Structure formats: structure tokens, C-alpha cells
Amino acid sequence: MINIILPDKSVRKYDAGITGLDIAKDISPRLAKEVLSITVNGELTDLTRPIEKDADIMLHKFSDPQGKHAFWHSSSHLMAEALATLYPGIKFAIGPAIENGFYYDVDLPEGTVISENDFPKIEKTMIELARQKNPFIRKEISKKEALEYYEKQQDQYKTELINELEDGNITFYTQGNFTDLCRGTHLPHTGFIKAVKLLNVAGAYWRGDEKNKQLTRIYGISFPKQKMLTEYLEMLEQAKLRDHRKLGKELELFTFSPKVGMGLPLWLPKGADLRLRLEDFLTKELRKRGYVMVMSPHIGNVDLYKTSGHYYKYAEDSFRPINTPQEGEEFMLKPMNCPHHVEMYKFKQYSYKDLPIRMAEFGTVYRYEQHGELHGLTRVRSFTQDDAHVFCRPDQLKDEFKAIIDLVFYVFKVFNFNDFSTQISLRDPDNHEKYIGTNENWDKAEKAILETVEEKGLEATVETGEAAFYGPKLDFIVKDVLGRAWQLGTIQIDYNLPERFELEYKGSDNELHQPIMIHRAIFGSMERFIALMIEHTAGKFPLWITPDQAVILPISDKFNDYAKKVSDLLKNYDIRSLIDDRNEKIGRKIRDNELKRIPFLLVVGEKEVSSNTVSVRKQGQGDQGSMSIEAFAKMVNNEVENEIKYN
RNA sequence: GCCUCAGUAGCUCAGUGGUAGAGCAACUGCCUCGUAAGUAGUAGGUCAUGGGUUCGAAUCCCUUCUGAGGCUCCA
């Protein structure tokens, strides 16, 4: 007999060799129907594997991440089986579970393509195979045998994968007529998969390398109940309604014109208004925190970028240098603001008492992003960074770094970005060519980031090879409405540019010292931030109150009940004077159908601006008198909060 | 740059080889009038672009441009 310890610490005794599935059956028949995978002594594994010794176990249902993982991984195998049936000669590369669903990379026989039109028949085959309730059978296999199996099929992908695996550590999983190299975890059988939807097809390079062959990647998602799939698809549709590209058009915030050039956003009046107010908000905050605002031109002599290293790093794939009538003279559209700020630092000599110098600019930069990478406002070719560079002494570095983290937290809180992740990006130690500067400098910079993050108690993932070419960084990442991750805020420590530009300050010892540079952005770029802000707030927080600023953001009743209710509530108020205020044709009577079309009322109320007063009258309650826009926004917001229990 | 798909009126879309359509928006009347679609009429398209097949192309084929979802890239 062995002891099985459940998460609640209760102990059950079973014969050795019992499986997770049997334990589940023993606990309750309903659990047995829902359970998908099991963790045995900390190791995620199949429910059908025998447990031979005493163990702590945890059973996973679809509601658990581990359950979903097994479910979608098995779905991936099921799709592979269906594809193998429908497309003889197909070869399989890798097919993992992902955050929402699964994919499989396949190499199709010459001349075959899979498009979305083929999805229904693949889905149908998958469901037919699933209904057979074929068990997933695990088999340990020697490296030699495994290689023979795939070499016979002339499958270079699996062969390559197996060659990298250790002998004795290789397993195959078989369901029905399909066998795949796989380390698991899988469902007991395919019958759990009741609903399948293939989502899209895409090209993907083998092993993610552009030089390799491009495979066909098919994305899908599956569920244990048809209803869950329907709900998921409904959720996706809802999400698409909040897409910033759609809203940007509807709300007349921004547009693109092929004639101007793709990836070059045109800010329409309302969008420009929104952006200016955001810039204003941040500028005030920066001044409070000891920053000075500067401005720099949009171009610079190539020599500037040669010194900074940008020229060698980016000239080839970037906008081409601009020639002048002068022979041999070249300018570049600035891809970054740093070198300009560095030259401003060099304008005069600084004492150690002057530091830190915190230089901020809403600096527009130009980068020739790859054609296929352009994406709404989140990836563009001309964008404005809320950029700043802090020049400080070594003893000030950590405090400055922490102050910036605090600023990021403050701003994210103000705009309700509560769900963000933090990532430390270090250099790739095997690829020195990607970076400038000495190992010594890099070690210092990376150490400073790691220590500061530790001291701050921040939880951050660490990624190697993701650093900027001049220094490591701490990034703040927010997801868009469809779950794509975008970097907004970034803080980067740089010992290299100060060295290259020979920056210095006079220390208390009367010697010259080199300052350390911190590059940082809070919004990241105005474009990307506004894009995510639109998606995060649409239909969710139509009115926003910050401690000292009132912001009314996009209002549209098309997205969900919450916005609809707010919209209804606003109808109880006479806000004509507010709208007249926002309308250039002041004094003209606003027509009914015009009012309903005003898609957003954007106001950043500032106490010192007295003209931002509205006279408000609530229907049925008579005149409420004049009040500031801020007060009005607060009042409406309170009412909304009271009326709707929003969680 | 690569893979799959798409582009018809300002917007949302119908139209699969035989005379370019609808709703909304716009404009002009009329009726109403403070708050989510009053009413009649008018105007609006080289069917993204260039080429080809055909008696005939929005429709089939190719080029280019742009967009969508991925991959690669991302300062």
C-alpha cells in the first residue's frame, strides 16, 4: 500500500501502481469525468501513469492552467492526426499548447496549401477522431529506435529534435493511428475534446530562424464543452469591437494614408486633442519630479550616429541618410533621441552637485519597421517617445532607478493598467557583435538593474538577448485586447554612451568623472500608449478621475452594458454647454442627431482654468448650477459607481 | 521580407461572367425640437492599381499597392 496525499493534506491509501484517474474515480465520479492531468510530487504528468510510491498529488481540471495545458497539447496531437489523414505526406515539426489554445507547425507536401477554407473539414475530422475516444498511449523508446522510426519517414524535423535529446529520456505518444515524439502531458483519451475551432493559419520558420524553411502553422482552440467554445468565440468578437484601430476610426482619433506612407499616423483633431492632454498630464508630473523639458530637431548629422553607434547598427535597415548639396554631407532622421540629449549635456560643464540632470522630451523618432510588422498605432514608422535621459553619479544610480519605477507605477495606476508584466532584458552572452561597450560596463549595468529590482521587491522575468544595444533594461509590458504583449515603459542603464561621447562631471575630489546615463520612457510612445489605453478603457471606464485631474475618455455605448448605462445616465444631464465648449461652432444650436454622434468627450480639467466650467441641469431635478468639468466628471462617475456594481 | 486571407459609395456590407445595389451618413425641402435614428427628395462608385483571358470582367488569371492574422525583426 502507498500513501497518497491530497492538497488538503488528507491521506488515502491505495495499492502501488494506482493511476491518477482511479484516484479521481475513488473520490467522486464527477471529478473523474472532469479531471485532465495530475501533478505527482511536483511533476506534471498523465492521469494514466501508475503511481508506485507515496506521493503528494494534485488533480487538474480544465479550469486549472495545468489542465488546460494537457487538454490543448492533446488537441494539438488530435489535429496532427486529422492532418495526417487528410494530407498524406505531411511532416510535423512542433505542436505545443499556448496561452489560449494550441498550434502545430507542419511541412506540407509540395504544391499543397492549407487555407481557412480547409478548416471546416479538418475540424470535422478532428471531432470524428475525438469521438473514437482513443487513449493516449505513452511509450519510452531508445534514441536509436526513435531515430530509425523517423528516418524511415524521412522526417528531418523530428530527427533533428531527437538528436538533441538524451537517450533514455525519449517518449512517444500514440493515439489511434498517430504517433508523435512527445514528452507529454496528455489526456487519458481523445473523447474529452468535444469542441474544436481552428483560428488561423500562418507561416512560421522552422526553429524561428528566418534562414530556415517556412512551415505552415495552424492555430486552434478546443474545449470540453461546446458551450465554452461558443462563449470564447463571443468573447473574441467582443474584444474585436474594442480594437484601437476600429475605435480610432469610429472616434475619429487617427488615420493612415497610403499616399503619406504606411506606418505614418495622422492624428485627427480629436486624437491630437487626446494626445496633447496626455502629454500635458505627464509634463506636469515630470516637472514635479525634477525633470527639465528640452527639444531637439528631427534629424542629425550622420557623424552623431556614428559616434553613438546607431549608424552601424541601424543604417542598413533604416531610412536612408539624407544627402545635401554639400558633397559628402549626410543627415539621418533620428531613430532615437539619446545622442541629441547627450550633446545637450555636453553644452556645459557640470559639478557633482548639479547631478542628476533629468532631461525629458516628447521626441518623435523614425524607424523603418519591416513592412509586415506595422500594426495600427502599436507599431509604426514615426512615433513620439515620452523620452528622458537621466545623467547621474554612480551613488545616485539606484535611487534614480527606483524613482523611475515609482513613476511608472504611478502613471500605470492612473490609467488603470493594473495587469502588466515586468521583464529584465540582459545581453546575449554568446553574441558580442550585437552590443557596444566593454564586458566590464555591461556587468556593472546588469548588476545594477538586478540589484535594484531585487531591492524594490519587484517580480520580474529575466530574458537574455533582449537588451538594447547599449545597455540592459527593465521593461513594463501590457497586453492588448487580443492578448498580444506590447512594451510600454522601459528603463535602461547605460555606461556606454557616456564613454563614447566622453561625458564628464567635476567630482568633489576635483577630478573629472563619467556620469551614468539612464534612458527611460513611461508611456513608451504616445502612439502605442494611446492604442492600449483606448483598448483598455473602451466600454469599461468611460470616466476617469485622477487625484488632481479629471479625464473623460471615449464614450461609446456599442461595447457593453456598462458603457451603455453610463451613456444613459449622461442623458439625464444637460451637458450642452460642455459640448458647446468642445465644439468649434460655439453658439450654434446642436442638432439631435449631431449630439448622439459626439463619440467622446475628452476633458482634462485643470483647476486653474476657470473657463472649463459647465452649467449642469439634471432632468427632473432642475438646475444643479455651474460646476467645474472636474466636479461634473466626479459626480457622474460616482453615480455610475453607485448604480452599477462593477467588478 | 515570408506564409494565408482580403480590398465594391464617407461608413457597414450585398452582388461569382451579361445595364453597379442596400442601410446609415451627406445635401435640399417639409415637420418637429432640447437629447439615441420624423419625413420626402437629391447627389455620391474608373468595383484599390496596372495588365491579361473573353463577344462581354466587380466576378477568372498575373503585377503592384494597401489592410488582417501570424513568423522573422523590434532602437
PDB file of all heavy atoms in Angstrom, chain A residues 12-35:
ATOM      1  N   ARG A  12      -4.847   9.174   1.594  1.00  0.00           N
ATOM      2  CA  ARG A  12      -5.598   7.995   1.179  1.00  0.00           C
ATOM      3  C   ARG A  12      -4.617   6.888   0.882  1.00  0.00           C
ATOM      4  O   ARG A  12      -3.509   7.139   0.428  1.00  0.00           O
ATOM      5  CB  ARG A  12      -6.420   8.309  -0.083  1.00  0.00           C
ATOM      6  CG  ARG A  12      -7.666   9.116   0.216  1.00  0.00           C
ATOM      7  CD  ARG A  12      -8.228   9.732  -1.036  1.00  0.00           C
ATOM      8  NE  ARG A  12      -9.462  10.458  -0.736  1.00  0.00           N
ATOM      9  CZ  ARG A  12     -10.689   9.948  -0.933  1.00  0.00           C
ATOM     10  NH1 ARG A  12     -10.821   8.739  -1.447  1.00  0.00           N
ATOM     11  NH2 ARG A  12     -11.745  10.651  -0.625  1.00  0.00           N
ATOM     12  N   LYS A  13      -5.049   5.665   1.156  1.00  0.00           N
ATOM     13  CA  LYS A  13      -4.151   4.523   0.933  1.00  0.00           C
ATOM     14  C   LYS A  13      -4.626   3.723  -0.273  1.00  0.00           C
ATOM     15  O   LYS A  13      -5.829   3.444  -0.409  1.00  0.00           O
ATOM     16  CB  LYS A  13      -4.130   3.619   2.167  1.00  0.00           C
ATOM     17  CG  LYS A  13      -3.358   4.211   3.323  1.00  0.00           C
ATOM     18  CD  LYS A  13      -3.197   3.213   4.449  1.00  0.00           C
ATOM     19  CE  LYS A  13      -2.517   3.822   5.658  1.00  0.00           C
ATOM     20  NZ  LYS A  13      -1.143   4.279   5.372  1.00  0.00           N
ATOM     21  N   TYR A  14      -3.674   3.416  -1.157  1.00  0.00           N
ATOM     22  CA  TYR A  14      -4.013   2.634  -2.342  1.00  0.00           C
ATOM     23  C   TYR A  14      -2.924   1.603  -2.585  1.00  0.00           C
ATOM     24  O   TYR A  14      -1.814   1.709  -2.047  1.00  0.00           O
ATOM     25  CB  TYR A  14      -4.110   3.528  -3.582  1.00  0.00           C
ATOM     26  CG  TYR A  14      -5.234   4.531  -3.516  1.00  0.00           C
ATOM     27  CD1 TYR A  14      -4.982   5.867  -3.216  1.00  0.00           C
ATOM     28  CD2 TYR A  14      -6.552   4.132  -3.765  1.00  0.00           C
ATOM     29  CE1 TYR A  14      -6.004   6.783  -3.164  1.00  0.00           C
ATOM     30  CE2 TYR A  14      -7.577   5.064  -3.706  1.00  0.00           C
ATOM     31  CZ  TYR A  14      -7.311   6.385  -3.409  1.00  0.00           C
ATOM     32  OH  TYR A  14      -8.327   7.286  -3.344  1.00  0.00           O
ATOM     33  N   ASP A  15      -3.248   0.645  -3.448  1.00  0.00           N
ATOM     34  CA  ASP A  15      -2.211  -0.293  -3.884  1.00  0.00           C
ATOM     35  C   ASP A  15      -1.227   0.447  -4.778  1.00  0.00           C
ATOM     36  O   ASP A  15      -1.614   1.348  -5.515  1.00  0.00           O
ATOM     37  CB  ASP A  15      -2.835  -1.434  -4.698  1.00  0.00           C
ATOM     38  CG  ASP A  15      -3.678  -2.337  -3.810  1.00  0.00           C
ATOM     39  OD1 ASP A  15      -3.323  -2.479  -2.621  1.00  0.00           O
ATOM     40  OD2 ASP A  15      -4.696  -2.866  -4.314  1.00  0.00           O
ATOM     41  N   ALA A  16       0.030   0.066  -4.707  1.00  0.00           N
ATOM     42  CA  ALA A  16       1.027   0.656  -5.601  1.00  0.00           C
ATOM     43  C   ALA A  16       0.608   0.405  -7.042  1.00  0.00           C
ATOM     44  O   ALA A  16       0.030  -0.650  -7.343  1.00  0.00           O
ATOM     45  CB  ALA A  16       2.404   0.062  -5.329  1.00  0.00           C
ATOM     46  N   GLY A  17       0.885   1.336  -7.909  1.00  0.00           N
ATOM     47  CA  GLY A  17       0.532   1.185  -9.317  1.00  0.00           C
ATOM     48  C   GLY A  17      -0.817   1.778  -9.666  1.00  0.00           C
ATOM     49  O   GLY A  17      -1.265   1.701 -10.808  1.00  0.00           O
ATOM     50  N   ILE A  18      -1.438   2.393  -8.696  1.00  0.00           N
ATOM     51  CA  ILE A  18      -2.730   3.028  -8.992  1.00  0.00           C
ATOM     52  C   ILE A  18      -2.504   4.249  -9.877  1.00  0.00           C
ATOM     53  O   ILE A  18      -1.432   4.875  -9.845  1.00  0.00           O
ATOM     54  CB  ILE A  18      -3.441   3.427  -7.681  1.00  0.00           C
ATOM     55  CG1 ILE A  18      -4.862   3.931  -7.988  1.00  0.00           C
ATOM     56  CG2 ILE A  18      -2.680   4.546  -6.969  1.00  0.00           C
ATOM     57  CD1 ILE A  18      -5.856   3.616  -6.938  1.00  0.00           C
ATOM     58  N   THR A  19      -3.490   4.582 -10.681  1.00  0.00           N
ATOM     59  CA  THR A  19      -3.352   5.757 -11.549  1.00  0.00           C
ATOM     60  C   THR A  19      -4.142   6.927 -10.994  1.00  0.00           C
ATOM     61  O   THR A  19      -5.053   6.744 -10.177  1.00  0.00           O
ATOM     62  CB  THR A  19      -3.884   5.463 -12.965  1.00  0.00           C
ATOM     63  OG1 THR A  19      -5.301   5.269 -12.878  1.00  0.00           O
ATOM     64  CG2 THR A  19      -3.234   4.245 -13.566  1.00  0.00           C
ATOM     65  N   GLY A  20      -3.797   8.116 -11.473  1.00  0.00           N
ATOM     66  CA  GLY A  20      -4.497   9.328 -11.047  1.00  0.00           C
ATOM     67  C   GLY A  20      -5.985   9.242 -11.357  1.00  0.00           C
ATOM     68  O   GLY A  20      -6.827   9.697 -10.587  1.00  0.00           O
ATOM     69  N   LEU A  21      -6.274   8.630 -12.484  1.00  0.00           N
ATOM     70  CA  LEU A  21      -7.667   8.521 -12.910  1.00  0.00           C
ATOM     71  C   LEU A  21      -8.464   7.665 -11.916  1.00  0.00           C
ATOM     72  O   LEU A  21      -9.591   8.009 -11.544  1.00  0.00           O
ATOM     73  CB  LEU A  21      -7.718   7.896 -14.310  1.00  0.00           C
ATOM     74  CG  LEU A  21      -9.023   8.055 -15.084  1.00  0.00           C
ATOM     75  CD1 LEU A  21      -9.403   9.514 -15.218  1.00  0.00           C
ATOM     76  CD2 LEU A  21      -8.890   7.422 -16.458  1.00  0.00           C
ATOM     77  N   ASP A  22      -7.838   6.578 -11.458  1.00  0.00           N
ATOM     78  CA  ASP A  22      -8.510   5.709 -10.484  1.00  0.00           C
ATOM     79  C   ASP A  22      -8.746   6.441  -9.174  1.00  0.00           C
ATOM     80  O   ASP A  22      -9.789   6.280  -8.539  1.00  0.00           O
ATOM     81  CB  ASP A  22      -7.676   4.442 -10.241  1.00  0.00           C
ATOM     82  CG  ASP A  22      -7.695   3.538 -11.463  1.00  0.00           C
ATOM     83  OD1 ASP A  22      -8.708   3.568 -12.186  1.00  0.00           O
ATOM     84  OD2 ASP A  22      -6.689   2.842 -11.702  1.00  0.00           O
ATOM     85  N   ILE A  23      -7.754   7.242  -8.781  1.00  0.00           N
ATOM     86  CA  ILE A  23      -7.910   8.001  -7.541  1.00  0.00           C
ATOM     87  C   ILE A  23      -9.087   8.957  -7.683  1.00  0.00           C
ATOM     88  O   ILE A  23      -9.926   9.085  -6.790  1.00  0.00           O
ATOM     89  CB  ILE A  23      -6.610   8.770  -7.209  1.00  0.00           C
ATOM     90  CG1 ILE A  23      -5.467   7.799  -6.959  1.00  0.00           C
ATOM     91  CG2 ILE A  23      -6.831   9.675  -5.996  1.00  0.00           C
ATOM     92  CD1 ILE A  23      -4.103   8.454  -6.831  1.00  0.00           C
ATOM     93  N   ALA A  24      -9.143   9.616  -8.822  1.00  0.00           N
ATOM     94  CA  ALA A  24     -10.233  10.565  -9.066  1.00  0.00           C
ATOM     95  C   ALA A  24     -11.575   9.847  -9.008  1.00  0.00           C
ATOM     96  O   ALA A  24     -12.536  10.330  -8.405  1.00  0.00           O
ATOM     97  CB  ALA A  24     -10.036  11.239 -10.416  1.00  0.00           C
ATOM     98  N   LYS A  25     -11.648   8.673  -9.622  1.00  0.00           N
ATOM     99  CA  LYS A  25     -12.892   7.884  -9.604  1.00  0.00           C
ATOM    100  C   LYS A  25     -13.277   7.562  -8.173  1.00  0.00           C
ATOM    101  O   LYS A  25     -14.455   7.571  -7.807  1.00  0.00           O
ATOM    102  CB  LYS A  25     -12.688   6.574 -10.375  1.00  0.00           C
ATOM    103  CG  LYS A  25     -12.917   6.723 -11.866  1.00  0.00           C
ATOM    104  CD  LYS A  25     -12.700   5.391 -12.594  1.00  0.00           C
ATOM    105  CE  LYS A  25     -12.654   5.599 -14.085  1.00  0.00           C
ATOM    106  NZ  LYS A  25     -11.939   4.493 -14.774  1.00  0.00           N
ATOM    107  N   ASP A  26     -12.258   7.260  -7.377  1.00  0.00           N
ATOM    108  CA  ASP A  26     -12.490   6.892  -5.994  1.00  0.00           C
ATOM    109  C   ASP A  26     -13.032   8.083  -5.195  1.00  0.00           C
ATOM    110  O   ASP A  26     -13.843   7.915  -4.291  1.00  0.00           O
ATOM    111  CB  ASP A  26     -11.172   6.393  -5.393  1.00  0.00           C
ATOM    112  CG  ASP A  26     -11.405   5.804  -4.017  1.00  0.00           C
ATOM    113  OD1 ASP A  26     -12.343   5.008  -3.882  1.00  0.00           O
ATOM    114  OD2 ASP A  26     -10.662   6.170  -3.086  1.00  0.00           O
ATOM    115  N   ILE A  27     -12.559   9.279  -5.534  1.00  0.00           N
ATOM    116  CA  ILE A  27     -13.013  10.467  -4.800  1.00  0.00           C
ATOM    117  C   ILE A  27     -14.444  10.812  -5.192  1.00  0.00           C
ATOM    118  O   ILE A  27     -15.296  10.994  -4.340  1.00  0.00           O
ATOM    119  CB  ILE A  27     -12.062  11.664  -5.066  1.00  0.00           C
ATOM    120  CG1 ILE A  27     -10.673  11.358  -4.495  1.00  0.00           C
ATOM    121  CG2 ILE A  27     -12.627  12.944  -4.450  1.00  0.00           C
ATOM    122  CD1 ILE A  27      -9.603  12.358  -4.874  1.00  0.00           C
ATOM    123  N   SER A  28     -14.683  10.924  -6.489  1.00  0.00           N
ATOM    124  CA  SER A  28     -16.058  11.171  -6.936  1.00  0.00           C
ATOM    125  C   SER A  28     -16.167  10.924  -8.426  1.00  0.00           C
ATOM    126  O   SER A  28     -15.246  11.243  -9.181  1.00  0.00           O
ATOM    127  CB  SER A  28     -16.491  12.596  -6.593  1.00  0.00           C
ATOM    128  OG  SER A  28     -16.487  13.412  -7.746  1.00  0.00           O
ATOM    129  N   PRO A  29     -17.268  10.345  -8.868  1.00  0.00           N
ATOM    130  CA  PRO A  29     -17.422  10.042 -10.295  1.00  0.00           C
ATOM    131  C   PRO A  29     -17.396  11.314 -11.132  1.00  0.00           C
ATOM    132  O   PRO A  29     -16.885  11.324 -12.246  1.00  0.00           O
ATOM    133  CB  PRO A  29     -18.815   9.400 -10.378  1.00  0.00           C
ATOM    134  CG  PRO A  29     -19.195   9.055  -8.983  1.00  0.00           C
ATOM    135  CD  PRO A  29     -18.430   9.945  -8.074  1.00  0.00           C
ATOM    136  N   ARG A  30     -17.936  12.377 -10.569  1.00  0.00           N
ATOM    137  CA  ARG A  30     -17.976  13.629 -11.315  1.00  0.00           C
ATOM    138  C   ARG A  30     -16.573  14.182 -11.535  1.00  0.00           C
ATOM    139  O   ARG A  30     -16.239  14.661 -12.616  1.00  0.00           O
ATOM    140  CB  ARG A  30     -18.819  14.628 -10.529  1.00  0.00           C
ATOM    141  CG  ARG A  30     -18.791  15.960 -11.182  1.00  0.00           C
ATOM    142  CD  ARG A  30     -19.953  16.797 -10.847  1.00  0.00           C
ATOM    143  NE  ARG A  30     -19.764  18.063 -11.515  1.00  0.00           N
ATOM    144  CZ  ARG A  30     -20.564  19.084 -11.365  1.00  0.00           C
ATOM    145  NH1 ARG A  30     -21.602  18.967 -10.571  1.00  0.00           N
ATOM    146  NH2 ARG A  30     -20.331  20.204 -12.001  1.00  0.00           N
ATOM    147  N   LEU A  31     -15.748  14.107 -10.488  1.00  0.00           N
ATOM    148  CA  LEU A  31     -14.354  14.542 -10.614  1.00  0.00           C
ATOM    149  C   LEU A  31     -13.655  13.733 -11.698  1.00  0.00           C
ATOM    150  O   LEU A  31     -12.928  14.275 -12.530  1.00  0.00           O
ATOM    151  CB  LEU A  31     -13.628  14.388  -9.268  1.00  0.00           C
ATOM    152  CG  LEU A  31     -12.159  14.791  -9.241  1.00  0.00           C
ATOM    153  CD1 LEU A  31     -11.993  16.268  -9.554  1.00  0.00           C
ATOM    154  CD2 LEU A  31     -11.522  14.473  -7.898  1.00  0.00           C
ATOM    155  N   ALA A  32     -13.919  12.430 -11.694  1.00  0.00           N
ATOM    156  CA  ALA A  32     -13.276  11.553 -12.680  1.00  0.00           C
ATOM    157  C   ALA A  32     -13.627  11.974 -14.103  1.00  0.00           C
ATOM    158  O   ALA A  32     -12.821  11.831 -15.019  1.00  0.00           O
ATOM    159  CB  ALA A  32     -13.689  10.111 -12.441  1.00  0.00           C
ATOM    160  N   LYS A  33     -14.818  12.536 -14.279  1.00  0.00           N
ATOM    161  CA  LYS A  33     -15.226  12.959 -15.615  1.00  0.00           C
ATOM    162  C   LYS A  33     -14.521  14.244 -16.040  1.00  0.00           C
ATOM    163  O   LYS A  33     -14.342  14.514 -17.213  1.00  0.00           O
ATOM    164  CB  LYS A  33     -16.742  13.200 -15.641  1.00  0.00           C
ATOM    165  CG  LYS A  33     -17.528  11.964 -16.015  1.00  0.00           C
ATOM    166  CD  LYS A  33     -19.008  12.207 -15.853  1.00  0.00           C
ATOM    167  CE  LYS A  33     -19.674  12.577 -17.170  1.00  0.00           C
ATOM    168  NZ  LYS A  33     -21.147  12.677 -16.982  1.00  0.00           N
ATOM    169  N   GLU A  34     -14.162  15.045 -15.036  1.00  0.00           N
ATOM    170  CA  GLU A  34     -13.624  16.374 -15.361  1.00  0.00           C
ATOM    171  C   GLU A  34     -12.110  16.473 -15.303  1.00  0.00           C
ATOM    172  O   GLU A  34     -11.523  17.391 -15.845  1.00  0.00           O
ATOM    173  CB  GLU A  34     -14.232  17.415 -14.402  1.00  0.00           C
ATOM    174  CG  GLU A  34     -15.711  17.653 -14.663  1.00  0.00           C
ATOM    175  CD  GLU A  34     -16.272  18.709 -13.739  1.00  0.00           C
ATOM    176  OE1 GLU A  34     -15.495  19.323 -12.987  1.00  0.00           O
ATOM    177  OE2 GLU A  34     -17.499  18.907 -13.773  1.00  0.00           O
ATOM    178  N   VAL A  35     -11.492  15.528 -14.591  1.00  0.00           N
ATOM    179  CA  VAL A  35     -10.059  15.661 -14.356  1.00  0.00           C
ATOM    180  C   VAL A  35      -9.266  15.383 -15.641  1.00  0.00           C
ATOM    181  O   VAL A  35      -9.647  14.525 -16.438  1.00  0.00           O
ATOM    182  CB  VAL A  35      -9.628  14.758 -13.173  1.00  0.00           C
ATOM    183  CG1 VAL A  35      -9.646  13.303 -13.585  1.00  0.00           C
ATOM    184  CG2 VAL A  35      -8.275  15.172 -12.657  1.00  0.00           C
TER     185      VAL A  35
END
